[in-house]
Amino acid sequence: MEVDSRGLVVHVRSAPEAGRATEEARRALAAAAGLPPSAVRLRSGARSRTKVFDLDGMDGHELERRLRRS
């Protein structure tokens, strides 16, 4: 994962077929945030390279703080 002008960028190895890459990104984001995968939901971008996820009980500032710690 890295942060750039686009926001948080999550690199995955799964092919973008049948939602596998999206699921891998969701799980990686959950792990990095210290949340269960069920707490991370795709808000938009199901068919796009750019995705927006919602994290239950966490805003962008808290996520950034947690990512800096790891």
Side-chain angles (χ1 to χ4, degrees):
M1 283 187 216
E2 64 186 83
V3 178
D4 69 12
S5 62
R6 298 170 290 179
L8 179 64
V9 179
V10 179
H11 299 277
V12 298
R13 292 185 175 176
S14 295
E17 298 169 354
R20 285 191 294 263
T22 300
E23 180 61 16
E24 184 179 344
R26 185 181 73 85
R27 289 182 176 274
L29 183 55
L35 295 171
S38 61
V40 179
R41 287 179 316 283
L42 180 65
R43 182 190 326 167
S44 65
R47 300 186 135 221
S48 170
R49 291 188 66 160
T50 301
K51 317 259 184 232
V52 177
F53 290 93
D54 286 324
L55 286 72
D56 287 346
M58 187 177 301
D59 63 14
H61 296 292
E62 176 62 18
L63 176 60
E64 185 177 342
R65 189 179 69 75
R66 288 188 185 196
L67 292 175
R68 284 186 184 173
R69 269 195 278 159
S70 58

